[in-house]
Amino acid sequence: MMAHADNALALANELKLADEQKSALTQIALSAEKLGDQGKTIATQKRIIELSQQTQTPEKDSAVSASALAEQQLKLELGMLRGKLDDTIQASKNANILLAICGVIAVILMITIIILFNRHRKMHAQNEVLIQLSQEEQFTHHLGYAALLAHLGDRRSNQRPTMALGLIEFQGYLASDINHGQYFANAVMTQLADLISETLSMPVYVIRQGVLAVRFTESIEPQHVITRMRQQLDERQLTQTFNLGFIHLPLLAKSEMKVAPKLQFETVQMALACARSLPTNRDHFVTLRALNFVPPSLFANPLFLHLEKGIERGLIRVETNGNKEEIHWPCWENNQDRHLLENI
């Protein structure tokens, strides 16, 4: 047994097997006790005790190491949680900063929008004032030539169509601004515009000194205009005579082409030029009416030349309350000032 235990101990020592070492030492101690070798028995038991103490220490160290490992793991997890918390706090700070920046930008944008809106409103109001001023006659500040053209060209659904256009001339007031001063001339033109507006209940436009335009939104004949105007002038004891150029609109009744407002106005100017050539002892009107087969090219610049040729050829019918034989037709071809115009 002793020999076998010695061999087992040597092998266990070589392989560093603690349990096998203690088992072999135990066999050696028993053998030595049976053999009566007390010294070896005691020595063997001491080695068994030492070996037992050695095996217990690693277990303790292992427990301590496991506890330390768990502590380190907890510290690591705590560090990770703290890192996540720090990241969350930083993200929250960044979000708050971003929200603050967005708020500042939103406030700036709102202020900018308000400023731009107020500026746009002011500019719109200024444009409305400028448009209104541009449509006024410069001396009387009554609706003038620009307003007339704008209203003639306005085809909105809520705008009453223009049925006729008249141009009234008071020859006695054509030079009133030179003869009596601008203040007197402005006052007279304002009163004449109000008189015509009250008499005819139609839009009235001041073209220049002594000349006013009327846009008729109802069907009316020029003789009726002459009669009503004369009654109102007589009631106010005004003996001044006047001339009326008159056209019915549209000028081309059976054509899809529309005559431009400027050409409509120039046509009524032609009619007034004919009316003012008649004797001044009474009120006269002249109206021009295109026949149904008139080509649209007749109403084109230079309009006076085309109308002159159209009247000569019978394409334009002339009506008047005076004597047609006394009318002096405006003659384009004999105009001595044509050299002042280019490309005509």
Side-chain angles (χ1 to χ4, degrees):
M1 181 183 294
M2 179 69 72
H4 178 73
D6 288 335
N7 293 331
L9 178 61
L11 184 59
N13 289 332
E14 182 180 357
L15 296 177
K16 296 181 180 180
L17 300 176
D19 292 337
E20 282 73 10
Q21 289 177 8
K22 289 190 293 182
S23 177
L25 288 172
T26 301
Q27 296 298 325
I28 292 172
L30 291 175
S31 300
E33 184 180 1
K34 293 296 183 179
L35 294 174
D37 190 353
Q38 297 296 324
K40 190 173 184 176
T41 300
I42 295 171
T44 302
Q45 290 178 350
K46 288 181 179 180
R47 290 184 62 188
I48 292 173
I49 293 171
E50 292 176 357
L51 186 60
S52 297
Q53 291 178 349
Q54 291 177 359
T55 56
Q56 289 178 359
T57 302
E59 289 180 358
K60 293 180 180 178
D61 294 341
S62 177
V64 172
S65 299
S67 176
L69 180 62
E71 182 180 358
Q72 293 296 326
Q73 186 174 3
L74 290 175
K75 289 182 179 180
L76 179 61
E77 292 179 357
L78 181 59
M80 293 177 62
L81 292 176
R82 286 179 177 176
K84 291 182 178 180
L85 180 59
D86 292 338
D87 293 340
T88 303
I89 293 173
Q90 187 62 37
S92 178
K93 291 181 179 179
N94 294 336
N96 291 335
I97 294 173
L98 183 61
L99 288 175
I101 295 174
C102 291
V104 172
I105 294 174
V107 171
I108 294 174
L109 289 176
M110 184 63 67
I111 294 174
T112 304
I113 291 173
I114 293 174
I115 293 174
L116 292 177
F117 176 77
N118 291 333
R119 182 175 298 178
H120 175 74
R121 184 175 60 183
K122 291 180 180 179
M123 292 180 62
H124 181 72
Q126 291 176 354
N127 288 337
E128 291 293 332
V129 173
L130 292 176
I131 291 174
Q132 181 65 28
L133 289 176
S134 68
Q135 293 184 350
E136 293 178 355
E137 195 270 334
Q138 56 182 344
F139 292 110
T140 62
H141 298 292
H142 200 280
L143 291 179
Y145 173 72
L148 175 62
L149 295 185
H151 294 166
L152 286 175
D154 193 353
R155 296 190 178 92
R156 292 178 297 180
S157 58
N158 59 346
Q159 177 73 25
R160 297 182 65 181
T162 304
M163 307 298 294
L165 181 62
L167 196 59
I168 302 174
E169 177 198 56
F170 294 89
Q171 290 188 342
Y173 297 122
L174 291 178
S176 59
D177 54 341
I178 303 300
N179 296 333
H180 306 290
Q182 194 64 54
Y183 173 80
F184 174 82
N186 294 344
V188 169
M189 288 305 298
T190 300
Q191 291 182 12
L192 288 176
D194 294 339
L195 172 64
I196 297 173
S197 179
E198 293 174 4
T199 303
L200 303 176
S201 299
M202 297 294 170
V204 178
Y205 307 84
V206 175
I207 304 303
R208 57 184 178 88
Q209 292 296 329
V211 181
L212 303 98
V214 183
R215 187 171 59 88
F216 296 94
T217 57
E218 297 177 359
S219 180
I220 193 171
E221 293 299 324
Q223 184 58 56
H224 185 57
V225 176
I226 291 285
T227 302
R228 293 177 61 181
M229 284 290 300
R230 188 73 265 163
Q231 290 175 353
Q232 291 296 324
L233 291 173
D234 291 341
E235 289 179 3
R236 290 168 172 77
Q237 298 180 354
L238 297 175
T239 60
Q240 290 85 352
T241 59
F242 64 92
N243 298 307
L244 171 65
F246 190 89
I247 58 172
H248 292 279
L249 296 177
L251 289 171
L252 300 172
K254 293 187 177 181
S255 175
E256 295 181 355
M257 295 186 61
K258 304 297 182 181
V259 179
K262 288 184 178 181
L263 296 178
Q264 295 176 11
F265 179 76
E266 196 166 347
T267 302
V268 80
Q269 279 184 315
M270 177 77 167
L272 178 60
C274 298
R276 72 193 308 266
S277 67
L278 294 171
T280 59
N281 56 349
R282 55 176 293 196
D283 306 322
H284 291 102
F285 77 84
V286 171
T287 180
L288 304 179
R289 190 191 302 268
L291 301 181
N292 293 335
F293 52 85
V294 170
S297 59
L298 181 67
F299 293 95
N301 288 318
L303 185 66
F304 268 45
L305 174 62
H306 293 159
L307 292 179
E308 176 186 340
K309 298 299 183 182
I311 292 172
E312 290 179 358
R313 297 170 184 173
L315 301 177
I316 303 294
R317 186 172 63 187
V318 179
E319 298 177 358
T320 179
N321 61 341
N323 187 357
K324 290 185 182 180
E325 301 299 328
E326 296 180 344
I327 295 177
H328 297 282
W329 307 105
C331 188
W332 173 271
E333 292 182 338
N334 294 333
N335 185 355
Q336 300 300 319
D337 297 325
R338 287 179 59 189
H339 65 281
L340 299 176
L341 304 177
E342 298 179 358
N343 301 324
I344 298 297

